[in-house]
Amino acid sequence: MSKVFDLFIIGGGINGAGIARDAAGRGLSVCLADKGEIGGATSSWSTKLVHGGLRYLENYEFKLVRESLKEREIVYKIARHISKPIPFIIPYADKIRPAWLIKIGLFLYDNLGGKSNIPKSKTFDLTKKFPNILKEKYKTGFQYFDIQIDDKKLTKLNAKDAKRNNAKILEYNKVNKAEIIGNEWIISLENDEKVKSKILINASGPWINETLIKNIKIKSKKKIRLVKGSHIITKKLYKENVAFTFQNTDKRIIFVIPYKGKFSLIGTTEVEVKSPENKGISKKEIRYLIQSVNNYLKKQIRTKDIVDTYSGIRPLIEDFNTASKVTRDYVFDLKIIKKLPLLNIYGGKLTTYRKLSEKVLIDLRKFLPKTKKGPWTDKKKLF
Ligand SMILES: Cc1cc2nc3c(=O)[nH]c(=O)nc-3n(C[C@H](O)[C@H](O)[C@H](O)COP(=O)(O)OP(=O)(O)OC[C@H]3O[C@@H](n4cnc5c(N)ncnc54)[C@H](O)[C@@H]3O)c2cc1C
């Protein structure tokens, strides 16, 4: 146990893997441990969109949407082989949101992120464009584009690139304990190995406070809100390569997205949970998703049409809003304990992982004075 790493990262989800890549590429020595597979938790249970988050505009989250739209452009550029733009149609639904509000939202969505290679939004007649998919009462559609990505692969490619730059990446190796002895963090792993580090980063997603309290033995002032999101997968519901954004009467939205060529991915729900352990979809969530699809599509689906399901737990920062309004932004909580830094990463989205990682390195710069290289991950392709 002689080597002292610059950074030790708990958690190999998209945020941990992204930080490891960025740091290792700057010449820092990095060790990351995950209790499971890299990208095997929340980062493979998402809706798999790199998106600005059109609906966050309704909550006035302009900063988050702007950053996400800029990141959408960059992630599409550096991970083009695992991502593709896909058109989303919002059918106009009477009494849910007025057309003018959707149009203002889409105008902002087209322009907030600056110059873009992704097509702009437009309005068209649904009865001419998709006469066979939607029920006749849906006559007007608003189209915008977002990026569909392989979320797990994105996470794995980040970890792979970190490894290429000499990071030590450990899977199926839980961090049992992290404590300061002398001038270093000593991290005790499940396989009895002990690792030394100057800086500790807690990127354990929905387990963040559990890791902090049980494994690092530090009290957290920041509260996290755990919100389960579930998806159902059916055989392809229509042949056209188009996704739909359905507005529900509770004002929530549901996506129906072409998935892996043969399937449709439908999600998601928002259910508050107490534990980060993933218990999967409930019957109530299944009913909600089916109902939402059946309100819009001519083809009606039933439980027996479901070929698979998955759920994930969103680790959101508590801001005392309702589940669908809680911010998807991220917050850093930097603590100095006995002169050594501990950085806790709260919240975040798949879409913003690269920027989040870059900001981590900026915030830790003063503890790593020998680092010469600046930001680099916006230009180098993932492979
Ligand atoms: C249903 C749903 C849909 C979503 N859709 C989108 C979307 O379309 N677009 C988007 O941008 N974002 C989306 N998100 C958000 C996005 O998926 C998450 O913000 C992101 O994946 C969180 O990554 P993370 O690295 O923080 O957490 P995780 O991926 O959960 O990673 C944390 C890791 O820490 C590990 N860990 C925990 N405790 C320990 C320990 N003691 N020792 C070692 N390892 C430990 C876990 O095994 C895990 O792998 C969605 C989220 C959900 C739940």
Short mmCIF file of all heavy atoms in Angstrom, two decimals, residues 10-16 33-37 39-51 173-176 203-207 211 215 227-231 268-269 311-315 347-352, ligand 1:
data_model
loop_
_atom_site.label_atom_id
_atom_site.label_comp_id
_atom_site.label_asym_id
_atom_site.label_seq_id
_atom_site.Cartn_x
_atom_site.Cartn_y
_atom_site.Cartn_z
N ILE A 10 -15.26 7.05 -5.26
CA ILE A 10 -16.21 5.99 -4.89
C ILE A 10 -17.36 6.04 -5.89
O ILE A 10 -18.09 7.04 -5.95
CB ILE A 10 -16.77 6.19 -3.46
CG1 ILE A 10 -15.64 6.40 -2.46
CG2 ILE A 10 -17.66 5.00 -3.06
CD1 ILE A 10 -16.12 6.70 -1.02
N GLY A 11 -17.51 5.00 -6.69
CA GLY A 11 -18.64 4.93 -7.63
C GLY A 11 -18.23 5.09 -9.08
O GLY A 11 -17.64 6.10 -9.46
N GLY A 12 -18.56 4.08 -9.87
CA GLY A 12 -18.25 4.11 -11.31
C GLY A 12 -19.51 4.22 -12.13
O GLY A 12 -19.74 3.47 -13.08
N GLY A 13 -20.37 5.17 -11.75
CA GLY A 13 -21.49 5.56 -12.62
C GLY A 13 -20.92 6.58 -13.59
O GLY A 13 -19.71 6.81 -13.65
N ILE A 14 -21.82 7.26 -14.33
CA ILE A 14 -21.34 8.22 -15.33
C ILE A 14 -20.51 9.35 -14.69
O ILE A 14 -19.50 9.78 -15.25
CB ILE A 14 -22.50 8.77 -16.20
CG1 ILE A 14 -21.97 9.55 -17.38
CG2 ILE A 14 -23.48 9.61 -15.39
CD1 ILE A 14 -21.13 8.78 -18.35
N ASN A 15 -20.91 9.78 -13.49
CA ASN A 15 -20.18 10.88 -12.88
C ASN A 15 -18.79 10.46 -12.41
O ASN A 15 -17.79 11.13 -12.72
CB ASN A 15 -20.99 11.50 -11.74
CG ASN A 15 -22.20 12.26 -12.27
OD1 ASN A 15 -22.16 12.75 -13.40
ND2 ASN A 15 -23.26 12.35 -11.49
N GLY A 16 -18.70 9.32 -11.71
CA GLY A 16 -17.39 8.83 -11.26
C GLY A 16 -16.48 8.53 -12.44
O GLY A 16 -15.30 8.92 -12.46
N ALA A 33 -13.34 2.82 -7.45
CA ALA A 33 -13.90 1.50 -7.11
C ALA A 33 -15.42 1.56 -7.17
O ALA A 33 -16.04 2.53 -6.70
CB ALA A 33 -13.46 1.08 -5.72
N ASP A 34 -16.00 0.51 -7.75
CA ASP A 34 -17.47 0.39 -7.74
C ASP A 34 -17.83 -0.94 -7.10
O ASP A 34 -17.18 -1.95 -7.32
CB ASP A 34 -18.04 0.46 -9.16
CG ASP A 34 -19.54 0.76 -9.12
OD1 ASP A 34 -20.32 -0.12 -8.68
OD2 ASP A 34 -19.92 1.89 -9.48
N LYS A 35 -18.92 -0.91 -6.35
CA LYS A 35 -19.33 -2.16 -5.69
C LYS A 35 -19.94 -3.15 -6.68
O LYS A 35 -20.11 -4.32 -6.39
CB LYS A 35 -20.30 -1.88 -4.54
CG LYS A 35 -21.62 -1.26 -4.95
CD LYS A 35 -22.46 -1.01 -3.72
CE LYS A 35 -23.73 -0.28 -4.10
NZ LYS A 35 -24.82 -0.49 -3.22
N GLY A 36 -20.29 -2.65 -7.87
CA GLY A 36 -20.83 -3.53 -8.92
C GLY A 36 -20.04 -3.34 -10.21
O GLY A 36 -18.84 -3.09 -10.19
N GLU A 37 -20.81 -3.43 -11.32
CA GLU A 37 -20.20 -3.24 -12.64
C GLU A 37 -20.10 -1.75 -12.94
O GLU A 37 -20.98 -0.98 -12.51
CB GLU A 37 -21.14 -3.94 -13.65
CG GLU A 37 -20.66 -3.98 -15.06
CD GLU A 37 -21.78 -4.45 -16.01
OE1 GLU A 37 -22.87 -4.85 -15.53
OE2 GLU A 37 -21.55 -4.39 -17.23
N GLY A 39 -20.99 1.43 -14.57
CA GLY A 39 -22.21 1.81 -15.30
C GLY A 39 -23.37 0.87 -15.06
O GLY A 39 -24.36 0.89 -15.79
N GLY A 40 -23.27 0.05 -14.03
CA GLY A 40 -24.30 -0.97 -13.82
C GLY A 40 -25.50 -0.51 -13.00
O GLY A 40 -26.47 -1.25 -12.86
N ALA A 41 -25.48 0.72 -12.47
CA ALA A 41 -26.62 1.18 -11.65
C ALA A 41 -27.42 2.25 -12.40
O ALA A 41 -27.79 2.04 -13.55
CB ALA A 41 -26.11 1.66 -10.29
N THR A 42 -27.65 3.39 -11.77
CA THR A 42 -28.52 4.42 -12.37
C THR A 42 -28.11 4.76 -13.81
O THR A 42 -28.96 5.04 -14.65
CB THR A 42 -28.46 5.72 -11.53
OG1 THR A 42 -28.28 5.39 -10.17
CG2 THR A 42 -29.69 6.56 -11.72
N SER A 43 -26.81 4.71 -14.06
CA SER A 43 -26.31 5.13 -15.37
C SER A 43 -26.64 4.13 -16.49
O SER A 43 -26.28 4.38 -17.64
CB SER A 43 -24.81 5.40 -15.30
OG SER A 43 -24.58 6.43 -14.36
N SER A 44 -27.26 3.02 -16.18
CA SER A 44 -27.77 2.18 -17.28
C SER A 44 -29.29 2.03 -17.19
O SER A 44 -29.89 1.26 -17.92
CB SER A 44 -27.10 0.80 -17.26
OG SER A 44 -27.28 0.19 -16.02
N TRP A 45 -29.88 2.77 -16.27
CA TRP A 45 -31.34 2.69 -16.10
C TRP A 45 -32.02 4.00 -16.49
O TRP A 45 -33.15 4.29 -16.06
CB TRP A 45 -31.67 2.37 -14.63
CG TRP A 45 -31.10 1.08 -14.14
CD1 TRP A 45 -30.92 -0.07 -14.87
CD2 TRP A 45 -30.65 0.77 -12.81
NE1 TRP A 45 -30.37 -1.05 -14.07
CE2 TRP A 45 -30.20 -0.57 -12.80
CE3 TRP A 45 -30.58 1.50 -11.61
CZ2 TRP A 45 -29.70 -1.19 -11.67
CZ3 TRP A 45 -30.07 0.88 -10.48
CH2 TRP A 45 -29.64 -0.45 -10.51
N SER A 46 -31.35 4.81 -17.30
CA SER A 46 -31.93 6.10 -17.67
C SER A 46 -32.82 5.94 -18.89
O SER A 46 -32.94 4.85 -19.45
CB SER A 46 -30.82 7.11 -17.94
OG SER A 46 -30.31 6.94 -19.25
N THR A 47 -33.40 7.06 -19.34
CA THR A 47 -34.20 7.04 -20.58
C THR A 47 -33.28 7.08 -21.80
O THR A 47 -33.73 7.03 -22.92
CB THR A 47 -35.21 8.21 -20.57
OG1 THR A 47 -35.90 8.20 -19.31
CG2 THR A 47 -36.25 8.11 -21.66
N LYS A 48 -32.00 7.19 -21.55
CA LYS A 48 -30.95 7.12 -22.58
C LYS A 48 -31.00 8.31 -23.54
O LYS A 48 -30.81 8.17 -24.73
CB LYS A 48 -31.01 5.77 -23.33
CG LYS A 48 -30.86 4.61 -22.33
CD LYS A 48 -31.16 3.26 -22.90
CE LYS A 48 -31.49 2.23 -21.83
NZ LYS A 48 -30.52 2.05 -20.77
N LEU A 49 -31.27 9.47 -22.97
CA LEU A 49 -31.31 10.69 -23.78
C LEU A 49 -30.24 11.66 -23.33
O LEU A 49 -30.06 11.88 -22.12
CB LEU A 49 -32.67 11.38 -23.65
CG LEU A 49 -33.88 10.60 -24.13
CD1 LEU A 49 -35.16 11.38 -23.85
CD2 LEU A 49 -33.76 10.29 -25.63
N VAL A 50 -29.54 12.21 -24.31
CA VAL A 50 -28.69 13.36 -24.03
C VAL A 50 -29.53 14.54 -24.49
O VAL A 50 -29.75 14.72 -25.69
CB VAL A 50 -27.35 13.26 -24.78
CG1 VAL A 50 -26.55 14.53 -24.64
CG2 VAL A 50 -26.56 12.08 -24.24
N HIS A 51 -30.09 15.25 -23.55
CA HIS A 51 -31.11 16.23 -23.91
C HIS A 51 -31.01 17.50 -23.06
O HIS A 51 -30.46 17.48 -21.96
CB HIS A 51 -32.51 15.60 -23.77
CG HIS A 51 -32.88 15.17 -22.38
ND1 HIS A 51 -34.18 15.05 -21.97
CD2 HIS A 51 -32.12 14.82 -21.32
CE1 HIS A 51 -34.20 14.65 -20.72
NE2 HIS A 51 -32.98 14.50 -20.30
N ASN A 173 -16.08 -4.24 -6.07
CA ASN A 173 -15.20 -4.03 -4.93
C ASN A 173 -15.71 -2.83 -4.14
O ASN A 173 -15.38 -1.68 -4.43
CB ASN A 173 -13.77 -3.81 -5.43
CG ASN A 173 -12.74 -4.29 -4.43
OD1 ASN A 173 -13.06 -4.46 -3.24
ND2 ASN A 173 -11.53 -4.51 -4.88
N LYS A 174 -16.53 -3.12 -3.16
CA LYS A 174 -17.19 -2.05 -2.40
C LYS A 174 -16.21 -1.30 -1.51
O LYS A 174 -15.28 -1.91 -0.95
CB LYS A 174 -18.30 -2.68 -1.55
CG LYS A 174 -19.18 -1.68 -0.88
CD LYS A 174 -20.30 -2.33 -0.09
CE LYS A 174 -21.07 -1.24 0.62
NZ LYS A 174 -22.00 -1.68 1.57
N VAL A 175 -16.41 0.00 -1.38
CA VAL A 175 -15.66 0.76 -0.39
C VAL A 175 -16.37 0.54 0.95
O VAL A 175 -17.51 0.96 1.12
CB VAL A 175 -15.62 2.26 -0.75
CG1 VAL A 175 -15.05 3.09 0.39
CG2 VAL A 175 -14.82 2.47 -2.02
N ASN A 176 -15.68 -0.12 1.85
CA ASN A 176 -16.28 -0.39 3.16
C ASN A 176 -16.05 0.75 4.13
O ASN A 176 -16.88 1.03 4.99
CB ASN A 176 -15.69 -1.68 3.76
CG ASN A 176 -16.33 -2.91 3.15
OD1 ASN A 176 -17.46 -2.84 2.65
ND2 ASN A 176 -15.62 -4.02 3.16
N ALA A 203 -18.89 9.73 -5.39
CA ALA A 203 -19.79 9.83 -6.56
C ALA A 203 -20.67 8.60 -6.58
O ALA A 203 -20.79 7.92 -7.60
CB ALA A 203 -18.96 9.95 -7.84
N SER A 204 -21.26 8.30 -5.42
CA SER A 204 -22.01 7.04 -5.33
C SER A 204 -23.50 7.20 -5.64
O SER A 204 -24.33 6.38 -5.23
CB SER A 204 -21.76 6.35 -4.00
OG SER A 204 -21.98 7.20 -2.91
N GLY A 205 -23.84 8.24 -6.41
CA GLY A 205 -25.21 8.38 -6.95
C GLY A 205 -26.26 8.33 -5.85
O GLY A 205 -26.16 9.04 -4.85
N PRO A 206 -27.27 7.47 -6.00
CA PRO A 206 -28.34 7.43 -4.98
C PRO A 206 -27.86 6.96 -3.61
O PRO A 206 -28.55 7.13 -2.62
CB PRO A 206 -29.36 6.46 -5.56
CG PRO A 206 -28.75 5.81 -6.73
CD PRO A 206 -27.56 6.61 -7.16
N TRP A 207 -26.66 6.37 -3.56
CA TRP A 207 -26.12 5.89 -2.27
C TRP A 207 -25.30 6.98 -1.57
O TRP A 207 -24.66 6.71 -0.56
CB TRP A 207 -25.25 4.66 -2.48
CG TRP A 207 -26.00 3.44 -2.91
CD1 TRP A 207 -26.55 2.50 -2.09
CD2 TRP A 207 -26.28 3.01 -4.23
NE1 TRP A 207 -27.16 1.53 -2.83
CE2 TRP A 207 -27.02 1.81 -4.16
CE3 TRP A 207 -26.00 3.52 -5.50
CZ2 TRP A 207 -27.46 1.12 -5.29
CZ3 TRP A 207 -26.45 2.83 -6.62
CH2 TRP A 207 -27.17 1.65 -6.50
N THR A 211 -23.23 6.25 1.81
CA THR A 211 -21.76 6.13 1.78
C THR A 211 -21.15 7.10 2.79
O THR A 211 -20.24 6.75 3.55
CB THR A 211 -21.24 6.47 0.36
OG1 THR A 211 -21.90 5.63 -0.56
CG2 THR A 211 -19.74 6.28 0.26
N ASN A 215 -19.96 4.69 5.56
CA ASN A 215 -18.60 4.30 5.19
C ASN A 215 -17.55 5.37 5.49
O ASN A 215 -16.40 5.05 5.73
CB ASN A 215 -18.53 3.93 3.70
CG ASN A 215 -19.58 2.89 3.32
OD1 ASN A 215 -20.52 3.19 2.59
ND2 ASN A 215 -19.46 1.70 3.85
N VAL A 227 -36.01 9.44 -6.21
CA VAL A 227 -37.23 9.37 -7.02
C VAL A 227 -37.07 8.25 -8.05
O VAL A 227 -36.22 8.33 -8.94
CB VAL A 227 -37.52 10.72 -7.71
CG1 VAL A 227 -38.76 10.61 -8.59
CG2 VAL A 227 -37.69 11.83 -6.69
N LYS A 228 -37.89 7.22 -7.89
CA LYS A 228 -37.81 6.08 -8.82
C LYS A 228 -38.45 6.43 -10.16
O LYS A 228 -39.51 7.04 -10.20
CB LYS A 228 -38.52 4.87 -8.19
CG LYS A 228 -38.46 3.63 -9.08
CD LYS A 228 -38.95 2.38 -8.39
CE LYS A 228 -40.42 2.43 -8.04
NZ LYS A 228 -41.05 1.12 -7.88
N GLY A 229 -37.78 6.04 -11.21
CA GLY A 229 -38.34 6.21 -12.56
C GLY A 229 -38.35 4.86 -13.23
O GLY A 229 -37.34 4.16 -13.23
N SER A 230 -39.48 4.48 -13.80
CA SER A 230 -39.57 3.15 -14.43
C SER A 230 -39.93 3.25 -15.91
O SER A 230 -40.58 4.20 -16.34
CB SER A 230 -40.64 2.32 -13.71
OG SER A 230 -40.25 2.09 -12.38
N HIS A 231 -39.49 2.24 -16.64
CA HIS A 231 -39.79 2.14 -18.08
C HIS A 231 -40.40 0.78 -18.37
O HIS A 231 -40.07 -0.20 -17.70
CB HIS A 231 -38.49 2.22 -18.90
CG HIS A 231 -37.78 3.53 -18.79
ND1 HIS A 231 -36.92 3.82 -17.77
CD2 HIS A 231 -37.80 4.62 -19.59
CE1 HIS A 231 -36.43 5.04 -17.94
NE2 HIS A 231 -36.95 5.55 -19.04
N THR A 268 -41.17 7.97 -18.40
CA THR A 268 -40.92 7.28 -17.17
C THR A 268 -41.88 7.78 -16.09
O THR A 268 -42.55 8.79 -16.28
CB THR A 268 -39.45 7.45 -16.69
OG1 THR A 268 -39.34 7.49 -15.29
CG2 THR A 268 -38.82 8.68 -17.20
N THR A 269 -41.87 7.08 -14.97
CA THR A 269 -42.70 7.48 -13.84
C THR A 269 -41.84 8.30 -12.86
O THR A 269 -40.63 8.42 -13.04
CB THR A 269 -43.21 6.23 -13.12
OG1 THR A 269 -42.07 5.41 -12.84
CG2 THR A 269 -44.18 5.45 -13.98
N SER A 311 -36.14 -0.09 -13.88
CA SER A 311 -36.34 1.11 -13.06
C SER A 311 -34.98 1.64 -12.62
O SER A 311 -34.01 0.88 -12.57
CB SER A 311 -37.13 0.78 -11.80
OG SER A 311 -38.34 0.15 -12.14
N GLY A 312 -34.95 2.90 -12.26
CA GLY A 312 -33.73 3.49 -11.72
C GLY A 312 -34.12 4.48 -10.64
O GLY A 312 -35.27 4.95 -10.60
N ILE A 313 -33.18 4.78 -9.77
CA ILE A 313 -33.46 5.74 -8.70
C ILE A 313 -32.71 7.03 -8.99
O ILE A 313 -31.47 7.03 -9.04
CB ILE A 313 -33.01 5.21 -7.31
CG1 ILE A 313 -33.43 3.75 -7.09
CG2 ILE A 313 -33.49 6.14 -6.19
CD1 ILE A 313 -34.88 3.51 -6.76
N ARG A 314 -33.46 8.11 -9.18
CA ARG A 314 -32.82 9.41 -9.44
C ARG A 314 -32.28 9.98 -8.13
O ARG A 314 -33.06 10.13 -7.18
CB ARG A 314 -33.81 10.42 -10.01
CG ARG A 314 -34.41 10.04 -11.33
CD ARG A 314 -35.40 11.11 -11.78
NE ARG A 314 -36.03 10.74 -13.03
CZ ARG A 314 -37.15 10.05 -13.14
NH1 ARG A 314 -37.78 9.63 -12.06
NH2 ARG A 314 -37.66 9.78 -14.32
N PRO A 315 -30.99 10.30 -8.08
CA PRO A 315 -30.47 10.94 -6.88
C PRO A 315 -30.58 12.45 -7.03
O PRO A 315 -29.71 13.10 -7.59
CB PRO A 315 -29.00 10.49 -6.87
CG PRO A 315 -28.66 10.18 -8.29
CD PRO A 315 -29.93 10.04 -9.08
N GLY A 347 -26.74 14.90 -7.14
CA GLY A 347 -27.63 15.16 -8.28
C GLY A 347 -26.94 14.95 -9.62
O GLY A 347 -25.97 14.19 -9.73
N GLY A 348 -27.45 15.63 -10.63
CA GLY A 348 -26.85 15.53 -11.96
C GLY A 348 -27.70 14.75 -12.94
O GLY A 348 -28.71 14.14 -12.58
N LYS A 349 -27.27 14.82 -14.20
CA LYS A 349 -27.94 14.10 -15.30
C LYS A 349 -26.84 13.43 -16.11
O LYS A 349 -25.70 13.89 -16.11
CB LYS A 349 -28.59 15.11 -16.26
CG LYS A 349 -29.73 15.90 -15.74
CD LYS A 349 -30.07 17.02 -16.74
CE LYS A 349 -30.57 16.47 -18.06
NZ LYS A 349 -30.84 17.54 -19.04
N LEU A 350 -27.21 12.41 -16.82
CA LEU A 350 -26.27 11.78 -17.76
C LEU A 350 -25.69 12.86 -18.69
O LEU A 350 -24.48 12.94 -18.90
CB LEU A 350 -27.08 10.76 -18.58
CG LEU A 350 -26.35 9.73 -19.39
CD1 LEU A 350 -25.80 8.65 -18.49
CD2 LEU A 350 -27.30 9.11 -20.40
N THR A 351 -26.58 13.71 -19.19
CA THR A 351 -26.22 14.72 -20.19
C THR A 351 -25.09 15.64 -19.73
O THR A 351 -24.26 16.05 -20.54
CB THR A 351 -27.47 15.59 -20.49
OG1 THR A 351 -28.53 14.72 -20.83
CG2 THR A 351 -27.23 16.58 -21.60
N THR A 352 -25.07 15.98 -18.44
CA THR A 352 -24.13 17.01 -17.97
C THR A 352 -22.87 16.42 -17.33
O THR A 352 -22.08 17.14 -16.75
CB THR A 352 -24.82 17.95 -16.97
OG1 THR A 352 -25.54 17.16 -16.02
CG2 THR A 352 -25.78 18.90 -17.66
C1 LIG B 1 -35.44 6.63 -14.67
C2 LIG B 1 -34.33 7.59 -14.96
C3 LIG B 1 -34.26 8.18 -16.21
C4 LIG B 1 -33.23 9.06 -16.49
N1 LIG B 1 -33.11 9.55 -17.75
C5 LIG B 1 -32.11 10.38 -18.05
C6 LIG B 1 -31.93 10.82 -19.37
O1 LIG B 1 -32.63 10.40 -20.31
N2 LIG B 1 -30.95 11.72 -19.61
C7 LIG B 1 -30.14 12.19 -18.63
O2 LIG B 1 -29.31 13.05 -18.92
N3 LIG B 1 -30.24 11.75 -17.36
C8 LIG B 1 -31.19 10.84 -17.05
N4 LIG B 1 -31.31 10.35 -15.79
C9 LIG B 1 -30.34 10.77 -14.78
C10 LIG B 1 -29.05 9.96 -14.85
O3 LIG B 1 -29.31 8.61 -15.17
C11 LIG B 1 -28.33 10.03 -13.51
O4 LIG B 1 -28.19 11.36 -13.11
C12 LIG B 1 -26.93 9.44 -13.59
O5 LIG B 1 -26.92 8.17 -14.20
C13 LIG B 1 -26.36 9.34 -12.19
O6 LIG B 1 -25.05 8.86 -12.29
P1 LIG B 1 -24.18 8.65 -11.01
O7 LIG B 1 -22.79 8.33 -11.46
O8 LIG B 1 -24.36 9.79 -10.08
O9 LIG B 1 -24.90 7.41 -10.26
P2 LIG B 1 -24.83 5.83 -10.56
O10 LIG B 1 -24.86 5.52 -12.00
O11 LIG B 1 -25.85 5.19 -9.71
O12 LIG B 1 -23.41 5.45 -10.01
C14 LIG B 1 -23.10 5.37 -8.64
C15 LIG B 1 -22.24 4.13 -8.46
O13 LIG B 1 -21.77 4.11 -7.11
C16 LIG B 1 -21.61 2.75 -6.75
N5 LIG B 1 -21.50 2.68 -5.30
C17 LIG B 1 -22.42 3.06 -4.37
N6 LIG B 1 -21.94 2.86 -3.12
C18 LIG B 1 -20.68 2.36 -3.27
C19 LIG B 1 -19.64 1.95 -2.36
N7 LIG B 1 -19.78 2.00 -1.02
N8 LIG B 1 -18.48 1.47 -2.86
C20 LIG B 1 -18.28 1.39 -4.21
N9 LIG B 1 -19.23 1.76 -5.11
C21 LIG B 1 -20.39 2.25 -4.65
C22 LIG B 1 -22.84 2.08 -7.35
O14 LIG B 1 -22.63 0.69 -7.54
C23 LIG B 1 -23.01 2.83 -8.66
O15 LIG B 1 -22.49 2.14 -9.79
C24 LIG B 1 -32.30 9.41 -15.48
C25 LIG B 1 -32.37 8.81 -14.23
C26 LIG B 1 -33.36 7.89 -13.99
C27 LIG B 1 -33.39 7.18 -12.67
#
